[in-house]
Amino acid sequence: MEMTEHYANIEPSRAEVDALEGPVLLEFGTAWCGHCRAAQPLIGKALTDRSGIRHLKIEDGPGRPLGRSFRVKLWPTLILLDRGQELGRVVRPQDVQAIQHALGATGQD
């Protein structure tokens, strides 16, 4: 599975995210965040052998309701959802294993 490269400036609503079919990996952060930039190769590697996971990068910050609805406080925060149900979460991953643990068996063939 390919990861999304750029953070979306316009975020979907919580209702739109909850209605998405199949597994979705939400990544909250910003392009200028050092922790977010450092996590990109880890996220890419964790998603390499996974299929069927939709990766959405959402630009987060003050006044952004989607991040607040998921109680995001630090970047990057990765949240795995399936039909609005949280299946896994990792905040500021330091290694690929942390992301793989949050993804569990989702998307593995």
Side-chain angles (χ1 to χ4, degrees):
M1 127 113 247
E2 282 189 40
M3 71 179 255
T4 303
E5 289 192 35
H6 302 286
Y7 288 97
N9 292 351
I10 300 172
E11 65 185 30
S13 70
R14 177 65 188 256
E16 289 171 322
V17 169
D18 288 346
L20 293 173
E21 292 290 324
V24 177
L25 180 64
L26 295 178
E27 176 186 343
F28 290 96
T30 66
W32 53 262
C33 167
H35 295 285
C36 301
R37 288 195 310 264
Q40 295 312 296
L42 304 175
I43 296 166
K45 189 169 184 177
L47 291 174
T48 297
D49 296 329
R50 308 234 178 199
S51 61
I53 300 175
R54 185 182 309 191
H55 179 217
L56 299 178
K57 289 177 78 162
I58 307 296
E59 186 173 302
D60 194 40
R64 298 285 186 129
L66 187 60
R68 303 304 65 77
S69 74
F70 283 104
R71 302 172 320 279
V72 172
K73 297 188 191 275
L74 297 172
W75 302 326
T77 294
L78 306 171
I79 303 171
L80 180 65
L81 301 173
D82 192 352
R83 294 187 190 114
Q85 295 295 322
E86 186 171 325
L87 303 177
R89 177 185 292 239
V90 63
V91 178
R92 288 195 177 164
Q94 299 295 311
D95 52 48
V96 174
Q97 291 78 18
I99 300 168
Q100 289 172 334
H101 178 72
L103 294 175
T106 304
Q108 291 180 331
D109 295 329

